[in-house]
Amino acid sequence: MDLFNNFDALQTVQQLEKLAKKPYNLAGPDALSPERIASYRTSVCGFDFLYSTQRVNQEVMQALQQLADEAQLVAQFKAMKSGTVMNKIIGYASEERQVLHTACRDLFTDTPLASKATDEARNQLTRLKKFLAELDNGSICNAKGEPFTTIVQVGIGGSDLGPRALYLALKRYCQKGRKACFIANVDPDDAAAVLSELDLSKTLINVVSKSGTTLETLTNEKLVRSALTAAGLDPARHIVAVTGAGSPMDDPEKYLASFYMYDYIGGRYSATSMVGGVTLAFALGYENFLELLRGANAVDQAGEQEDITKNLPLLMALLGIWNRNFLGYNTVAVLPYSQALLRFPAHLQQCDMESNGKQVTRFGKPVQWKTGPIVWGEPGTNGQHAFYQLLHQGSEIVPAEFIGFRTSQYQQDLAIHGTTSQQKVLANMLAQSLALALGRADENPNASFPGNRPSSLLIADQLTPYSMGGLLALYENKIAFQGFCWNINSFDQEGVQLGKVLANRILSELTEKEEGKSLPSDAPELALLKAAGLEKL
Ligand code: G6Q
């Protein structure tokens, strides 16, 4: 049987449609018995995943396993990891690429699945290790012979969101005297605000662009170069680059050091390549970056298990498909009860919505089923004081994915009123999951909670480089499994092109206007500029 199959051609889909007519009622009497809570639980790679608060029963779980088998989701995942060209639309012009971000972390075995890509990752890691050692031993330093203390990553989209989310998650593990900052937006205030707080003489700039052509990044590189020059510093002594081999930025003469990523690593899946590696290893240390890769690799391996209770990313993907395609829920909230995961939902928004926000199949035909949901989230408990009202009583049902850790990162905590802050944060997480599921009847309709709203809990001991790597890979692989099941190409992003083309057109029209050229009077973008009072921009 072919690996690619339309979702609505899968027999199990019909079975699940029937089961979805009477899904498990989480608010029913004894719906959350201790037996149910104990049995809808699995442990993989240091994560405990609790899903008794999803609207599933054993029949649904069996059907989801059957769906995974019938759609050959694990075979597709292994094909991806082995270097099959999965980034394609059959019969149409498309990227036609392998999808090998997993090879960047398949380092801990003598027999990696895609050995050429893993060798390339190893080479880059060796170069990075040497570069870091030279920074440590002072053979690379500023013009005064002082060490660099700060790295600023200049990049956008996949060259920003993942590395930034990981850095913030792991800031606690920064090496003494080292830190990282990020500039992404072409809004000049982004660069100005970041640069204004730095001692540029002790700052490395890491310009990251796979294509080497991204407007925002090239503009910000120029801004930063001029800031260095204005401070009397030599940019060539301060700027490193991470780019695709052969890109316009692949010009080692211009940079203090150059690192590479390859076309088989998609931007939003690139955090474990040099795109994240240079900044993270500078700030956190090389060994911590390796730990991150080790954690990701463990989850990648779990992704090869056929049994969905042992394959956590697959289980998360299937529960998401149950909620999206069979119960009809349109969005997913990712709610980390960990302040360090502040930007993780933003990273997932890109990873998930750019991957699975698709409308044609891998055969180039319009999809006849729902694809990726809207993904959003904020750390709890802050979110509780903001948007949880809608989660509990709003007219939209939002499946929630809670993430928590038993131990805090800094372990600076106090028992106040008999409980520590860590106990408080975790008690709140559990309470929210229960409240969503069980609801509460009240005579006053305004104070009554309907309940029967699904969620799951993902819990690990502590947010460390290893568990962060695992968490990243859990979601990356969940997203890939869902795309395989929906028969869409999760690895391209044609949908971001049109806006870029139109922005460039507006910019060139502004230049032409400046040069006194006459412009078409009926162009909507010119009418819009006028209406917005931006004609004189
Ligand atoms: C991610 C996308 C996109 C990309 C940025 C930056 O998968 O491709 O977000 O990462 O547009 O691209 P460059 O790294 O090429 O500058």
Side-chain angles (χ1 to χ4, degrees), residues 95 154-161 208-218 242-244 249 261 265-270 275 350-351 354-355 490-493 496-497 500:
E95 293 190 355
V154 178
I156 196 164
S159 296
D160 167 64
L161 287 158
V208 183
S209 176
K210 176 179 168 182
S211 62
T213 60
T214 303
L215 171 84
E216 289 88 340
T217 304
L218 298 185
V242 179
T243 192
M249 264 176 60
M261 50 109 71
I265 299 174
R268 56 193 172 274
Y269 294 93
S270 65
V275 166
Q350 180 192 27
C351 203
E354 202 165 68
S355 296
S490 301
F491 307 109
D492 67 359
Q493 54 283 320
V496 303
Q497 296 308 330
K500 279 191 207 169

Side-chain angles (χ1 to χ4, degrees), residues 274-388:
M274 284 301 112
V275 166
V278 174
T279 292
L280 293 172
F282 172 87
L284 310 173
Y286 182 79
E287 287 308 318
N288 275 331
F289 182 61
L290 269 196
E291 272 299 288
L292 180 95
L293 300 184
R294 202 173 270 120
N297 178 245
V299 169
D300 292 342
Q301 286 183 37
E304 294 185 25
Q305 298 280 340
E306 298 281 352
D307 178 345
I308 63 170
T309 63
K310 299 199 172 103
N311 184 335
L312 187 45
L314 179 55
L315 176 58
M316 289 164 64
L318 291 164
L319 290 169
I321 286 172
W322 171 247
N323 285 332
R324 176 82 174 123
N325 298 93
F326 300 101
L327 303 186
Y329 304 140
N330 294 322
T331 108
V332 173
V334 180
L335 304 168
Y337 276 65
S338 158
Q339 187 58 24
L341 289 177
L342 177 69
R343 291 294 288 168
F344 191 56
H347 169 57
L348 293 184
Q349 271 181 338
Q350 180 192 27
C351 203
D352 201 319
M353 290 162 74
E354 202 165 68
S355 296
N356 289 342
K358 301 289 164 65
Q359 55 168 358
V360 294
T361 67
R362 288 180 287 188
F363 306 137
K365 299 281 179 290
V367 289
Q368 305 296 333
W369 50 91
K370 297 272 187 175
T371 59
I374 296 161
V375 178
W376 57 285
E378 275 287 317
T381 60
N382 307 20
Q384 290 175 207
H385 295 263
F387 53 80
Y388 277 43

